Amino acid sequence: EGVQVARADFLPSAKLTGDYSRTEHVSSFRDPNNWQVQAKVEYDLFDGFGRNAGYDQAKSRLRRAALGQMQMDRQIELEIQETLLEIDALNAIHLALKKEVISARQNYDRITAQFREGLSTAVDVSDAHTALVAAEVQLANAQTDIKLAQRKLELSTGTLGQTLIKSASAWEATR
């Protein structure tokens, strides 16, 4: 738009005015209807290269805007790639923590059974239970981190609002 405005400075300007008047007192020397039309066309032959400078500035602003858009596009692509890698890493951590919870639960069950038979102490049961709870907390934190990374991806791709609307609609449907 700015380039088109600057380009318009190279064109001549035109002006057209008109006037009409009617007099009540008619004389023999004068017509009661008076018409006047004036047309004017102007073109600056030389303006100290101002038009060229304005046009060049407008083109420069347009190029800067295009470069800014390209930079923003690259930044968004990079953010999306980083978030996808983060989600992959968090999914791998989540899988490992699931296995850790299964192992901690099996250990707790084994220690509890041994305690019932008198083969382990209450401290061993307490330690096994603490390890199980810690593993479950880590798993819950990993699940939260995955959801946060997914929301970050939705924010980067511009789909965050759509997901929230769908979630709210689904929640309303269950009520």
Side-chain angles (χ1 to χ4, degrees), residues 137-150:
V137 167
Q138 286 179 336
L139 180 63
N141 286 339
Q143 290 169 339
T144 302
D145 290 343
I146 289 171
K147 287 181 183 180
L148 286 173
Q150 289 170 339

Side-chain angles (χ1 to χ4, degrees), residues 4 7 13 22 27-28 33 37 52 61 64 66 70 83 108 112 115 117 120-121 125 132 140 145 147 154 160 166 174:
Q4 292 174 343
R7 195 178 289 159
S13 63
R22 179 171 170 81
S27 79
S28 59
N33 296 320
V37 177
N52 292 341
R61 283 192 298 271
R64 276 195 308 248
M70 286 174 44
T83 306
Y108 175 72
T112 303
F115 178 74
E117 298 295 324
S120 64
T121 65
V125 173
L132 174 60
D145 290 343
K147 287 181 183 180
E154 291 169 2
L160 179 62
K166 287 178 186 175
T174 61

Side-chain angles (χ1 to χ4, degrees), residues 20 32 52 57-58 67 69 94 97-98 101 116 119-121 126 142 144 146 150 174:
Y20 170 77
N52 292 341
Q57 286 177 346
L67 288 174
Q69 181 67 42
H94 183 260
L97 289 173
K98 275 177 138 178
V101 166
R116 285 189 202 119
L119 299 174
S120 64
T121 65
S126 177
T144 302
I146 289 171
Q150 289 170 339
T174 61

Side-chain angles (χ1 to χ4, degrees), residues 27-67:
S27 79
S28 59
F29 298 110
R30 189 170 167 178
D31 186 20
N33 296 320
N34 186 13
W35 292 84
Q36 183 178 5
V37 177
Q38 190 177 35
K40 182 179 178 182
V41 176
E42 291 182 352
Y43 182 76
D44 290 334
L45 294 175
F46 183 72
D47 69 346
F49 302 108
R51 285 180 290 206
N52 292 341
Y55 180 71
D56 290 344
Q57 286 177 346
K59 284 187 356 185
S60 176
R61 283 192 298 271
L62 184 63
R63 281 193 303 270
R64 276 195 308 248
L67 288 174

Side-chain angles (χ1 to χ4, degrees), residues 72-84 86-87 148-161 163:
M72 184 64 71
D73 291 345
R74 286 186 198 142
Q75 187 175 357
I76 290 170
E77 286 176 16
L78 180 63
E79 188 174 320
I80 290 170
Q81 289 174 353
E82 287 175 352
T83 306
L84 287 171
E86 180 181 355
I87 289 172
L148 286 173
Q150 289 170 339
R151 296 303 169 265
K152 182 179 174 184
L153 179 63
E154 291 169 2
L155 181 65
S156 298
T157 58
T159 59
L160 179 62
T163 302

